[in-house]
Amino acid sequence: MVHFLILQPLSESLLLWLALVYRCSSPLPETQTPLLSLLSMSLTSVELNYLVWRYLQESGFELAAYAFERNSKCLDYAHPLNRAVDMLQPGCLPNLVQKGILYALLEESVVDKLKALTLVEAVLSDQKAQEEARVKLQQTEPKKILNGSAPAETEGSVDSNSASADGDEMDVEETQDISFSTSILSSPVRCLPSLVAAWHPSTAVIALGSNDLTAVIHALNSSGIAESVTLNHPPVLDGETSLPNPISMVSWDPQGTMVVTSGINGELRAWSPDGRLKNVANSMSDLDHTAGALNSLLWNHRGLLAFTIDVNNTFRLWDGTTLSFIQEVRDTEPGPADICGCWLGDKKFALSTGKNTIKIYSVGLSGNAEDMTVVCVGQLGGHSNPITNLCFSATSRLLASLSDTDYSIKVWNSQSSQDALELNIVAEKVPDLHYHTSPVIGLHWLNRPGDVQGIELLSISMDGAVNIWDAFTGDLLVSANVFQNPDNFAFETEQEPELLTKNSLIFATAISPNGKFLAIGDDSGNVSIWDVLVSRYVNTKDLLRCVAVFPTPDKEAGICELVWDHSGKYLTACYQGTESAILEWLQT
Ligand SMILES: *[C@@H]1O[C@H](CO)[C@@H](O)[C@H](O)[C@H]1NC(C)=O
Ligand SMILES: *[C@@H]1O[C@H](CO)[C@@H](O)[C@H](O)[C@H]1NC(C)=O
Ligand SMILES: *[C@@H]1O[C@H](CO)[C@@H](O)[C@H](O)[C@H]1NC(C)=O
Ligand SMILES: *[C@@H]1O[C@H](CO)[C@@H](O)[C@H](O)[C@H]1NC(C)=O
C-alpha cells in the first residue's frame, strides 16, 4: 500500500489537519467557507472517527487503533445495516485528505500558490478563511440577549474597518418594525371529543382516541371530513364489571401502514388505514402477568423498531413492522418517578432511570437475525431530581433532558467529554428574562428544513414563559411570556382586549413541522399560534408574536392535546367536554 508509506512521514501535520476538521465537525453556522460548510454538512464526527480508525488500522498502528476505538466507540458506525461501510476503499482517509488539500488551495487564486503545495500551506490558508468567516459571522449573527456560560467567542480583535466594509449589506432589519397581525381562526372541522390524536405521516388522515372503547380514523378533503371509520375496542373486565377504557394512545407507524391504539390495559391494537384490525399485541408482563396503560409508544426513524413504556415503568421493545415482542427491560434501580425515553438513532435509545440518571441502550443482533438484544452501553450523570422529558435532535445530535422538580434543563453532547450544558439556572436569574419557575410542559427542538445546525431548543412552562436557547452555548435567543405583553398581539379589529390581560395556564403545546410556529392550548381552551422564527427577534425583548387565535367554542372544554399534521396545514385540538377541532393553517 504505497500511498501510506508516502503519507506516514506527514502524519504529524496530518493530525493537525484532522484537529482542524474536527473543530469543524461541531455544528457550524451557514456562513462558512465552502470547504467548511461542505465538511460540516457531509461528515459527522462518528464517520470521521471511523475513518481515522480505519487509517490507523491500515497503516499498522494497531495499538493506537485499539486505544482510539476504546475511546471513541467508532465501531458502532460499522453495524451490519450500514451500507456505507462496504463502500469505503482502503486508503479512504488519506485520499480524502489529499483532495481536501487540493480543494483548500483551489479556493485561493491558484497560480502563485502552486509553489507552496504542502499540507501546512493548505492548513494555513484554510485557517485564514475560517478566521474571516468567523469575523463575518459575528457581524451577522443575531445579537444574543444574554451572555451564556459559554467560552469567550473570539480571541483575535476584529479589524473595525473591514468589519464595517462588508458587514453593511448583511445587516438584519430592525425587528421591532416587523409587522404582523393576529388573525382569528374560525369554522374548524369538528369531530368527536378525544384525548389524543395522531396524523398520518403523509396524508390528510387523522386518528383520534376517545373517552371510551373507540377510536376513529377521519380522511379529510378540502371541504371537511370525507370518510370515517370507527375502531372498536372490547371492554376491559374486572370480574363482572367492565371498567371504563379510554383510548389514551394512538400512533401511526412512520411509514403510515398502520395505526396503533391502546387503552388502560396496555394492549396494542394495530389497524390498517381503512380500519381493519391487523394485529393485537399483548404487553402483559412475562413476570407477573399484569399490564398497565402505556405512557408512550415511540418508533425509531424508519419504523423498524418501537418501544413502549407503561405506567409501571416497564420498557418493552417491539418489532415495528409486525408488533412482535422483542425484549422487556426493567429498571435495575427503580425509583418513584416515571421514566421517559427517546430514540437516538435506528438502534440506540436513551431512558431515564429511577435514580435520575440517563442510560443509553443499543439494540444488537446476537447470532441470527431474529435474535435481538438490548444492552446498556453508557450512562449519563442526569439530574438531581426525576427526569420528566428527554428529546434528541438528529441534526445536532444533542440530547436535551428536563427535570420538572427544579425546572433544570440539560443538554448532552455525545461528541464532547465535558459535562452537560445546564440551562434555566434559576439561581443565576438575569432580570427581565423569563426563566421557568413553574412546570415545563413543552421541550422541543426547532428543526427547520435547511437548518444544518439544529441547536435551537424551545422550552415552555405552564405560566406562559417561552424560551428559545442556543443549546450549544446556553445563550437565550428569545425569552418572553405569552400572556404578559400586550404587544404580543396585533388584532386587526380592536375586539379582543380581554385576551391580553388574562393570566392563564398552558396545558398543551406543539411545534409546526417546519419549526416556525408554536401552538399553545390554554386552560380556557383557547388555541393560539406563535411565530418562533428566531431570526425575526433580533434586538427585541419580551416579545413573542401571536399570529392567530382560536377562541374556544365552549367555555367548559378542556384541551388535551395539540397535533400538527405532516404538512403543517392542519392543527388538531383534542377537547374533552366538547367536540375536537381541526383548524386549517395556511401560513408557512
Ligand atoms: C455580555 O457581554 C458583553 C460584551 O462581552 C458585556 O458588555 C455585557 O455586559 C454582557 N452582558 C451580560 C448580561 O453579562
Ligand atoms: C368531500 O367529501 C364529502 C363526503 O364524502 C363529499 O360530499 C364532498 O363532495 C367532498 N368534497 C370535495 C371537494 O371533494
Ligand atoms: C402495574 O400497574 C397496574 C395498574 O396500575 C397494577 O394493577 C399492577 O399491579 C402493576 N404491576 C406491577 C408489576 O407493578
Ligand atoms: C379565550 O378567548 C376568549 C374569546 O376571545 C376570550 O374572551 C378569553 O379571555 C380567552 N381566554 C384566555 C385565557 O385568554
Side-chain angles (χ1 to χ4, degrees), residues 113-402:
K113 292 282 169 185
L114 277 179
K115 60 182 189 296
L117 193 66
T118 69
L119 184 69
V120 175
E121 271 307 308
V123 169
L124 285 178
S125 101
D126 195 36
Q127 213 167 21
K128 208 173 95 203
Q130 210 177 358
E131 198 57 42
E132 279 165 10
R134 196 182 300 149
V135 169
K136 214 174 200 169
L137 182 72
Q138 274 186 338
Q139 295 153 8
T140 56
E141 214 168 16
K143 271 275 169 296
K144 313 267 161 74
I145 54 177
L146 167 68
N147 305 345
S149 50
E153 290 275 22
T154 1
E155 328 72 54
S157 65
V158 177
D159 180 346
S160 59
N161 281 338
S162 73
S164 58
D166 47 86
D168 275 350
E169 76 269 29
M170 312 286 258
D171 266 355
V172 190
E173 62 183 295
E174 286 285 309
T175 41
Q176 284 93 330
D177 301 338
I178 287 183
S179 69
F180 74 105
S181 65
T182 309
S183 57
I184 309 276
L185 299 177
S186 52
S187 56
V189 175
R190 305 305 301 266
C191 49
L192 86 173
S194 57
L195 298 165
V196 286
W199 283 95
H200 186 273
S202 57
T203 59
V205 170
I206 187 170
L208 300 122
S210 85
N211 229 342
D212 202 18
L213 299 179
T214 51
V216 290
I217 300 177
H218 291 309
L220 271 64
N221 65 12
S222 53
S223 53
I225 294 172
E227 267 181 79
S228 305
V229 283
T230 303
L231 314 176
N232 289 310
H233 296 70
V236 174
L237 297 175
D238 179 21
E240 291 291 290
T241 52
S242 65
L243 301 171
N245 185 14
I247 305 307
S248 57
M249 204 210 57
V250 295
S251 173
W252 290 91
D253 78 309
Q255 311 295 336
T257 57
M258 63 178 166
V259 61
V260 177
T261 59
S262 171
I264 52 160
N265 58 356
E267 185 182 73
L268 298 171
R269 295 192 157 235
W271 314 78
S272 63
D274 60 359
R276 271 173 305 146
L277 183 61
K278 287 171 71 164
N279 196 0
V280 178
N282 205 323
S283 63
M284 220 111 23
S285 162
D286 291 346
L287 301 176
D288 45 26
H289 300 281
T290 56
L294 299 178
N295 282 340
S296 47
L297 164 61
L298 293 169
W299 309 83
N300 71 359
H301 173 63
R302 284 185 287 176
L304 298 178
L305 294 170
F307 68 69
T308 55
I309 299 172
D310 70 16
V311 291
N312 303 55
N313 283 343
T314 309
F315 165 97
R316 292 186 185 86
L317 184 71
W318 308 85
D319 181 312
T321 49
T322 60
L323 277 193
S324 45
F325 174 79
I326 297 176
Q327 197 178 332
E328 182 172 299
V329 177
R330 295 225 175 186
D331 198 347
T332 49
E333 308 168 324
D338 282 349
I339 62 170
C340 55
C342 69
W343 285 98
L344 306 175
D346 272 342
K347 299 201 161 185
K348 249 192 190 156
F349 55 88
L351 281 186
S352 67
T353 71
K355 288 276 189 300
N356 311 333
T357 61
I358 302 167
K359 280 189 176 168
I360 311 292
Y361 293 87
S362 172
V363 186
L365 294 175
S366 64
N368 43 354
E370 297 91 59
D371 248 352
M372 287 207 246
T373 49
V374 176
V375 279
C376 179
V377 294
Q379 181 155 353
L380 303 173
H383 290 247
S384 15
N385 289 293
I387 295 169
T388 45
N389 199 339
L390 286 173
C391 62
F392 180 67
S393 162
T395 318
S396 60
R397 308 203 60 75
L398 296 173
L399 172 69
S401 60
L402 162 76

Side-chain angles (χ1 to χ4, degrees), residues 496 498-499 502 504 522-524 526 551 555:
E496 308 282 335
E498 288 165 273
L499 197 72
K502 283 278 182 336
S504 43
D522 62 37
D523 57 349
S524 71
N526 291 350
K555 292 265 182 296

Side-chain angles (χ1 to χ4, degrees), residues 51-67:
L51 288 177
V52 169
W53 178 81
R54 284 274 290 250
Y55 166 73
L56 292 173
Q57 275 263 331
E58 288 162 357
S59 317
F61 299 120
E62 303 286 359
L63 272 177
Y66 176 75

